[in-house]
Amino acid sequence: LMENASRAFLDAVRKSMRQIRRTIGATVVNPALLTAAEKLQYEGYLRREETNAAVLALWQDGVPIKQIVRRTGHHRMTVRRIVRGERGDVFRPRQSSLEAHLPWLDAQWDAGARNASALWRALRMSGFQGSVRVVLEWATRRRRAERTDASSLARVPSARTIARLMTIGRDNLTKAETVAIAAIESGVPTLVEAREIVADFHAMIRTKRAELLSSWIERASSSLIASLANGVRRDEAAVHAAIISTWSNGQTEGQITRLKLVKRQMYGRGKIDLLQARLIGAQL
């Protein structure tokens, strides 16, 4: 029964794959899920935000920049950047001489001009004073970004992988897996509901609380695992007996697994006489 419930959840994931593909890219990273290095950057951002708020409060009260520098102890250029609104980003980008030319470069790149040296020569004609290396680095970053975007779209986890990641503990997931599952849970709430219904079914079997079966069927009938609920309803008496019964086919399934393991270990030599000698004869 528990295996059938797990298969039903896998089928629910497969039904939701189109919706999952639409939502898995639109992800907002939770600061609690950042790596150690990213946490340091985020903590620095929070400290900058506190500094920005203090400087802006003084500026809005009419305090001149020179007085703000004396009161806060920050550099004059830092105070000026805060007043101009230049320190509001989480990850501060490195200032580049290409800033003024980026719209033109983006337009040329989208039009198919991918030769960095040619782009640099055209920029020189318009007054750009930087070296060709600056444009080469910009072009390299653009190519890497495009390859990364293409590979991320092609690496959407399979339905089986998503079902596994959604049913194991969060402590066993990597940061990327955690972010992906968080995006799926926020974008496909019906899948989260199906997971909870399957988990309740497993708990009902483990605790042998057969009196919850009827209410569980009604709840599951309107979810993504309605097919499982319909099957349980057709054999409700048998499922009820399986939940409360002390008998189990676990011993049979265990012996079948052992038999398959021994047969595969013999690389095609597992005829009936050899299997009998290894399994039955070994127990005598």
Side-chain angles (χ1 to χ4, degrees), residues 83-140:
V83 171
R84 295 171 183 173
E86 297 177 0
R87 274 171 47 105
D89 52 327
V90 179
F91 300 103
R92 292 175 291 179
R94 185 180 64 179
Q95 295 295 323
S96 172
S97 57
L98 283 177
E99 292 293 333
H101 305 278
L102 286 179
W104 181 85
L105 283 173
D106 291 334
Q108 295 294 317
W109 188 270
D110 294 337
R114 304 297 177 91
N115 189 305
S117 298
L119 291 173
W120 174 73
R121 287 192 292 269
L123 284 175
R124 294 283 292 180
M125 297 295 295
S126 61
F128 178 66
Q129 300 296 323
S131 65
V132 65
R133 181 177 179 179
V134 178
V135 183
L136 286 172
E137 292 178 350
W138 173 85
T140 301

Side-chain angles (χ1 to χ4, degrees), residues 174-250:
T174 64
K175 177 197 167 185
E177 292 171 345
T178 304
V179 171
I181 295 303
I184 293 172
E185 290 177 346
S186 62
V188 193
T190 54
L191 197 57
V192 178
E193 180 188 11
R195 180 186 61 184
E196 294 175 352
I197 294 174
V198 170
D200 292 342
F201 186 72
H202 288 173
M204 180 173 55
I205 295 175
R206 292 191 181 99
T207 58
K208 297 186 179 300
R209 301 187 61 185
E211 67 276 7
L212 302 176
L213 183 59
S214 298
S215 59
W216 180 88
I217 293 175
E218 295 300 325
R219 180 187 176 193
S221 298
S222 58
S223 66
L224 291 176
I225 57 171
S227 59
L228 175 65
N230 295 333
V232 173
R233 181 183 286 110
R234 287 192 298 267
D235 297 327
E236 186 172 353
V239 175
H240 186 278
I243 294 175
I244 63 176
S245 176
T246 58
W247 295 95
S248 172
N249 65 337

Side-chain angles (χ1 to χ4, degrees), residues 229-283:
N230 295 333
V232 173
R233 181 183 286 110
R234 287 192 298 267
D235 297 327
E236 186 172 353
V239 175
H240 186 278
I243 294 175
I244 63 176
S245 176
T246 58
W247 295 95
S248 172
N249 65 337
Q251 181 62 234
T252 303
E253 295 295 336
Q255 293 296 338
I256 292 174
T257 301
R258 177 168 170 261
L259 174 63
K260 290 181 178 179
L261 175 62
V262 173
K263 183 176 177 63
R264 289 165 182 165
Q265 285 177 337
M266 292 188 291
Y267 297 100
R269 295 173 178 263
K271 304 300 182 182
I272 187 65
D273 54 345
L274 186 55
L275 282 175
Q276 184 177 3
R278 290 198 60 179
L279 293 175
I280 302 177
Q283 299 176 359

Side-chain angles (χ1 to χ4, degrees), residues 7-221:
R7 289 176 180 172
F9 180 67
L10 176 58
D11 293 337
V13 175
R14 286 170 176 162
K15 294 176 184 177
S16 307
M17 282 304 295
R18 180 172 297 181
Q19 191 174 358
I20 289 173
R21 291 189 181 97
R22 287 199 302 264
T23 60
I24 199 169
T27 306
V28 177
V29 178
N30 188 343
L33 304 177
L34 298 177
T35 61
E38 291 170 341
K39 284 182 180 179
L40 292 176
Q41 292 181 342
Y42 189 73
E43 290 170 359
Y45 162 73
L46 295 179
R47 290 193 295 270
R48 292 199 306 273
E49 282 296 285
E50 293 177 358
T51 302
N52 294 352
V55 171
L56 289 175
L58 293 173
W59 175 256
Q60 292 172 358
D61 291 341
V63 180
I65 292 180
K66 186 179 294 186
Q67 293 295 329
I68 295 176
V69 170
R70 291 177 180 175
R71 293 187 185 182
T72 61
H74 296 294
H75 194 273
R76 182 178 67 256
M77 291 301 299
T78 301
V79 175
R80 286 183 177 177
R81 288 174 181 171
I82 295 173
V83 171
R84 295 171 183 173
E86 297 177 0
R87 274 171 47 105
D89 52 327
V90 179
F91 300 103
R92 292 175 291 179
R94 185 180 64 179
Q95 295 295 323
S96 172
S97 57
L98 283 177
E99 292 293 333
H101 305 278
L102 286 179
W104 181 85
L105 283 173
D106 291 334
Q108 295 294 317
W109 188 270
D110 294 337
R114 304 297 177 91
N115 189 305
S117 298
L119 291 173
W120 174 73
R121 287 192 292 269
L123 284 175
R124 294 283 292 180
M125 297 295 295
S126 61
F128 178 66
Q129 300 296 323
S131 65
V132 65
R133 181 177 179 179
V134 178
V135 183
L136 286 172
E137 292 178 350
W138 173 85
T140 301
R141 288 193 297 270
R142 284 297 301 265
R143 291 191 182 95
R144 289 177 178 174
E146 290 178 354
R147 286 198 298 268
T148 302
D149 293 341
S151 62
S152 62
L153 292 175
R155 293 178 183 174
V156 175
S158 64
R160 188 177 297 276
T161 300
I162 293 174
R164 178 180 61 82
L165 296 178
M166 291 187 68
T167 52
I168 64 177
R170 289 296 177 90
D171 294 338
N172 298 323
L173 300 180
T174 64
K175 177 197 167 185
E177 292 171 345
T178 304
V179 171
I181 295 303
I184 293 172
E185 290 177 346
S186 62
V188 193
T190 54
L191 197 57
V192 178
E193 180 188 11
R195 180 186 61 184
E196 294 175 352
I197 294 174
V198 170
D200 292 342
F201 186 72
H202 288 173
M204 180 173 55
I205 295 175
R206 292 191 181 99
T207 58
K208 297 186 179 300
R209 301 187 61 185
E211 67 276 7
L212 302 176
L213 183 59
S214 298
S215 59
W216 180 88
I217 293 175
E218 295 300 325
R219 180 187 176 193
S221 298

